[in-house]
């Protein structure tokens, strides 16, 4: 039998634990749904809002990577970010897709830091796939991947909230 004195103090102990961050009862994580992939996308934050920033695949081609010519053709693509309003720019996933819009290879591309706010930002990158001959396009996913909020598992006191969708992987339908 538990003494009444201990039972009377239990609510106080639970309140102290909750306030100190030792309880994850109020911490919840949610993963945002992946936006529709396209050649040009309006970048959206974790709440589905856009500040007008866009990302676009300007062109792409199959060509050997000069650093690894022995591997044969890979996908070299050029991109452009417009209307980025911060010095620390957004990031979006870029995916090489086949004629059914299935991802053959993906990676995250970042608007470089230090660009003047609002100025167009251009760059190029490589996508590597097992079968580059099956690639019919390169698409971008509009969800900003640059925000890395701590999860409830990592920080039950301050973590939680919305998180970007998991990056697209090979075989995902875009």
């Amino acid at each position: 039998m538990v003494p009444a004195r201990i039972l009377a103090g239990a609510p106080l102990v639970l309140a102290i634990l909750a306030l100190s961050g030792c309880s994850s009862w109020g911490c919840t994580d949610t993963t945002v749904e992946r936006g529709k992939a396209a050649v040009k996308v309006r970048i959206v934050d974790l709440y589905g809002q856009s500040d007008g920033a866009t990302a676009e695949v300007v062109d792409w081609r199959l060509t050997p990577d000069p650093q690894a010519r022995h591997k044969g053709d890979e996908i070299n693509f050029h991109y452009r970010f417009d209307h980025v309003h911060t010095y620390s720019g957004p990031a979006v996933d870029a995916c090489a897709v086949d004629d059914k819009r299935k991802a053959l290879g993906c990676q995250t591309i970042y608007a470089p830091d230090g660009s003047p706010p609002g100025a167009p930002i251009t760059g190029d990158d490589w996508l590597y796939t097992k079968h580059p001959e099956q690639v019919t396009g390169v698409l971008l996913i509009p969800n900003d991947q640059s925000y890395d909020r701590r999860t409830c598992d990592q920080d039950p006191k301050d973590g939680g909230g919305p998180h970007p969708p998991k990056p697209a992987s090979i075989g995902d339908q875009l």
Side-chain angles (χ1 to χ4, degrees), residues 1-160:
M1 181 143 187
V2 179
R5 183 171 48 168
I6 292 175
L7 288 175
L12 178 61
V13 170
L14 290 175
I16 290 170
L17 288 174
L19 291 173
S20 69
C22 294
S23 170
S24 61
W25 292 338
C27 190
T28 59
D29 285 313
T30 57
T31 302
V32 175
E33 277 191 48
R34 185 182 298 154
K36 184 171 172 57
V39 172
K40 183 175 184 176
V41 295
R42 182 174 297 269
I43 302 169
V44 295
D45 65 14
L46 296 174
Y47 302 97
Q49 303 299 309
S50 173
D51 66 359
T54 61
E56 177 179 11
V57 175
V58 178
D59 67 8
W60 68 274
R61 62 189 169 118
L62 288 174
T63 188
D65 181 339
Q67 306 281 329
R69 290 192 181 280
H70 65 282
K71 291 185 178 180
D73 284 344
E74 299 296 347
I75 297 90
N76 179 238
F77 68 101
H78 292 83
Y79 57 85
R80 176 182 171 123
F81 286 91
D82 280 309
H83 310 293
V84 174
H85 298 290
T86 64
Y87 283 101
S88 178
V92 294
D93 287 335
C95 296
V97 297
D98 65 12
D99 60 346
K100 294 180 174 72
R101 294 176 58 111
K102 283 200 178 181
L104 300 173
C106 299
Q107 72 174 34
T108 303
I109 57 170
Y110 296 82
D113 290 346
S115 300
I121 302 166
T122 60
D124 77 297
D125 216 326
W126 294 85
L127 285 166
Y128 303 96
T129 68
K130 242 181 172 174
H131 301 285
E133 71 281 358
Q134 294 177 359
V135 174
T136 60
V138 176
L139 300 177
L140 302 175
I141 300 172
N143 306 88
D144 185 356
Q145 294 285 339
S146 67
Y147 189 68
D148 187 22
R149 176 177 276 177
R150 298 182 67 83
T151 65
C152 291
D153 287 344
Q154 296 166 330
D155 187 352
K157 180 180 172 195
D158 300 321

